[in-house]
Amino acid sequence: LGATASFGSAVFLDVDASWWHLGDMPDVDFRDPFLASASLSRIFGTWSIGVHGSAATSALPGYQAPALVGASFTHAVARGGWGLSISAGLTETAPDVMVGLSWRVRM
C-alpha cells in the first residue's frame, strides 16, 4: 500500500507499507514482518534530491528489527533518466551500506 502527496509542484512525500507472509521452514519459525518506508524529495529542474528511511518488524524471534536511512539523486531527461541512492543501516540486521543505481527508459 502506498501513497504520494505533493506540496506545490516540486516537493513530494511518498509513504509505503507492506506485510510479508514468509511461511515457515521446519526448523525456523519466521514471523510475518511489517515494513514501512517514507521518502521526501525535491525537484530542481531536471534533478531531484531526496531522503528516505525504512523500518520493519523482526522476522526472527531474538533478532533486532531492520532500519535504514539514506539519500538519493535523480536526473531526468526527455527519454528517461538515471539515479543514485545510498543508504546506511541503523541496526545490526540492516546492511551497513547499500548503494543503488537506477536507469529509466521512456516507452
Side-chain angles (χ1 to χ4, degrees):
L1 179 64
T4 301
S6 62
F7 302 93
S9 62
V11 178
F12 298 90
L13 173 66
D14 294 301
V15 292
D16 295 289
S18 60
W19 174 76
W20 290 68
H21 177 65
L22 300 178
D24 287 325
M25 295 176 13
D27 298 334
V28 182
D29 184 27
F30 284 114
R31 294 184 203 158
D32 296 333
F34 176 78
L35 173 70
S37 62
S39 65
L40 182 65
S41 57
R42 170 80 159 91
I43 298 173
F44 300 94
T46 60
W47 290 91
S48 70
I49 185 170
V51 293
H52 59 267
S54 68
T57 58
S58 177
L60 289 169
Y63 286 87
Q64 195 174 29
L68 60 85
V69 294
S72 62
F73 305 91
T74 306
H75 182 61
V77 293
R79 297 194 175 262
W82 58 271
L84 170 69
S85 67
I86 186 162
S87 302
L90 301 176
T91 60
E92 258 183 37
T93 54
D96 290 335
V97 175
M98 214 166 48
V99 176
L101 297 173
S102 62
W103 174 39
R104 297 179 193 173
V105 177
R106 177 175 270 173
M107 298 180 83

